[in-house]
Structures are given as C-alpha cells and as structure tokens.
Amino acid sequence: MKAVYALGFVGLTALSARGQAALYAQCGGENWTGATTCVSGAVCTYSSEYYSQCLPAGTATTTTAAAGTTTTTATATSTCGATPPASAGKLQYAGVNIAGFDFGMDTSGDDTASSAYPPLTQYYGSDGAGQMTHFVNDDKYNIFRLPVSWQFLTNNEATGVLNETNFAEYDALVQACLTTGASCIIDIHNYARFNGDIIGQGGPSNEMFADLWSSLATYYATESKIVFGVMNEPHDLPSITIWAATVQAAVTAIRNAGATTQLILLPGDNYTSAETFVSGGSAAALATVTNPDGSFTGLIMDVHKYLDSDNSGTNSACVTNNIDDAWEPLSQWLRCNGRQALNTETGGGDVASCETYMCQQIQYQAENSDVILGYVGWAAGNFATSYVLSETPTESGTTWTDQVLVSTCMAPSVNGYVA
C-alpha cells in the first residue's frame, strides 16, 4: 500500500464545516444533494449534466453552460494534483486478463454457465496456467485478472451461493495464478447486471450481491495476493449514487468475511471509463465507499481505457494515448483526493499506431505511479491469437512467443516501468 492512503487529505474529500464543498469536491449534477457552493478560492464549475466540481479560481474567465443557461466562472489555475512526486516512476502492477470463464457474457449481463470456456488444459481449453507462468518468468508481469460470470459461479441461479462443481473449476485457474506468485484479480464480469436486470436497481438485491462476495471472500480471506474486482464495466446506470451503495454492500461483505487487507477495486459507470470517471460522477460517488472502520485503505478505483477511435476495444488501430482526455484529469483528481486507481483493461492491435500510443500511455502512468498502480492488458487465455486485441502467446514446445504489442511495449521486461 502506498503512503497516500495515510495522508488523509483532510478537507479535500469532505464538506467543510460551513457546509461548502471542498476544493476538487463535487458541487452539482443530476440528483446531487450535497453542497452547491465551494470553499473560498474555489468555484463550482460545470463539467456535464451529471457532474460539477469545485475548481480553484483564477483571474481569467470562461463560459460554461448548465441547465440551459450560460454563466461565467473563474478559470482554474491551481496546479493541485498536477505534479507527481519525485518518488513516482515505477508502477506496482502490470499484467494480462486471462479470459474464458466469462465467455458468452454480453453487456446486458445475459449468460449461461455452459457458455464458459475454462482456459485450462484439464478442461480442454488453452494452457492458461502455462501462459501465466510464461508471462511472469519471461515478461516479468505480476498480476492477472481472471474474469468469470456470476452465472457460471452459481450455475445459472440468481443467488449468492456458489455452485461447488463450477467454483472448483474457476478456483483451479485462481490457484494456477497464485502458484506463479502474481497477484490475482477475482473479476465478476457481469456489467452490473444479471440476465438484463441491474443489481440493486430492479435486478438482484444488494444483499444477494453481497452474499456472492461474502462467499468468495470467505474462501480467499487468507490469500494476500487476491484482489477483489467488484464488477466489470457497469454502464447506463439509472443512478450512480445507488450503484455506490451496491458497491458499498460488496465491500462491507468482503471485509466482514475476513478479507481485511486485500485490495478491492471500485468500478464506476460508463463501462468504468477512465475518461469519464470524474466528469460522469463515478469518482465522487465511489469516494463515499468505505471499509467498515470508515477508512479508504485498500479501496482502489477501477478504470478501463482503450486506444481505438470509439474506445470500444474492437478496432486494431490506435488513435490516442489517452493522456490529455483521460489520464491527466483522472490523475489530478486522484492526487488531490488521496486516492489511487488501477487500469484493469487496456489494449490494442499489433500495429505501429498501438505501439506508439500504448507505450506513451504506459510511460505516463508510470510517471504518475503514486496514483496509478498499473495496467492489465486485454486479453489472453482462451482468445485465439488472431483475435483483434489478442495478447495470447504462441506455444511451441517449451517456447512461448508473444504478440507484437506485448513484446515491443507492454511487457515489463521490455518497458522497464514496473518496480
């Protein structure tokens, strides 16, 4: 854990004693019920219909529109959060998603257990265990994300009770991951849904979702290398504040199950996009989620960012390094609020544009490693080597050959950005 958690940043993330929002705190947006004025020296600045933020006041002015009106606000001139400390420069984590147990899942949360394709040779899948061993030993990766559908874990039942047979298969992948010495992310890959219905907002109850996480956390409570990924890519949520309560239920369940020290990843709306994490209100809503003791220790913001033209991760070409639109504003918010984030999905095709932009993105993240813990590429496991974003290495005897983007840019052994 970085010392940033212990700093507290008193006054930056909470309302002041006068009922005004603190510097860089939320001060407006749809369904916002908190303070709408800012402490002295800050101005409530419109970002979107969902989010306004207290930014430092300057001498220049700019016009911003809110609720159909035009107002003049002071331009932010403070550098709060813009400059990383001298100690930054090396990421804590770099890794790969090992996909297969999530196969069949679509963005509506529809899936069946039979669609899963375990990336393990004993279940007639790819050699996920061998891939992870290669990634650790040869490429110096140190974290893997292991996506799995809720339906697979419970054998299609809307319940928090794990199906013994199915869970044993998934746990085989987790144990293979742990054997490498890497950290292993348990990722429920359901888009905040179960068969089309949003958790806590018309679908499964928060209590049921908490039961699922309690079951998983109880099993892995003593495994220090386990990371709990609460949910993959929530999107189109009716209320981000209600979603934050769902995340809170999961966090409380994990901690109360005895998993008191492991990292927990907090996912926001809009496919947990790093670009809209602050402006869309996810950062402010999830900043209210705490451990049972009221602390934020180990609670990490979960973000994704692809580099293609529509941020979908479906195109081979890359068009941006995401620094100006995503990583710079997110890093500033994280630093000013004493929080950290992990980029658990990013990737690109094996083309020159992706080599350029991905290397730039990773370099920026390393330069801001006090608040960005690392990145996890999408994806290997049971994806074919011909898949547009494949990071699946080719095996020939005892030799593994990486995809070009991995071997030229993403592998820590190549970029040197992981401590």
Side-chain angles (χ1 to χ4, degrees), residues 88-132:
K90 291 287 188 177
L91 296 165
Q92 291 188 37
Y93 300 108
V96 181
N97 282 265
I98 307 299
F101 279 105
D102 56 314
F103 280 18
M105 176 61 65
D106 63 28
T107 58
S108 69
D110 287 338
D111 193 26
T112 61
S114 61
S115 298
Y117 188 10
L120 294 165
T121 56
Q122 62 263 46
Y123 301 118
Y124 309 102
S126 296
D127 187 6
Q131 291 176 19
M132 289 187 285

Side-chain angles (χ1 to χ4, degrees), residues 130-205:
Q131 291 176 19
M132 289 187 285
T133 299
H134 154 68
F135 283 136
V136 169
N137 293 342
D138 299 333
D139 293 333
K140 308 309 177 186
Y141 283 112
N142 62 3
I143 192 168
F144 298 103
R145 186 168 178 254
L146 312 175
V148 62
S149 73
W150 185 348
Q151 287 90 334
F152 180 81
L153 290 175
T154 62
N155 200 31
N156 302 319
E157 297 294 327
T159 178
V161 179
L162 301 174
N163 177 273
E164 184 176 347
T165 300
N166 288 10
F167 177 65
E169 292 187 16
Y170 179 68
D171 181 56
L173 182 65
V174 177
Q175 297 304 323
C177 176
L178 291 170
T179 297
T180 69
S183 294
C184 310
I185 303 172
I186 308 297
D187 164 48
I188 305 300
H189 212 80
N190 275 67
Y191 302 91
R193 290 155 168 81
F194 190 97
N195 293 342
D197 297 321
I198 299 174
I199 303 164
Q201 301 185 55
S205 67

Side-chain angles (χ1 to χ4, degrees), residues 4-5 7-9 12-13 296 333-340:
V4 69
Y5 289 109
L7 295 177
F9 287 80
L12 288 179
T13 59
F296 303 121
W333 183 91
L334 292 167
R335 194 168 290 118
C336 286
N337 287 274
R339 306 305 296 264
Q340 293 175 315

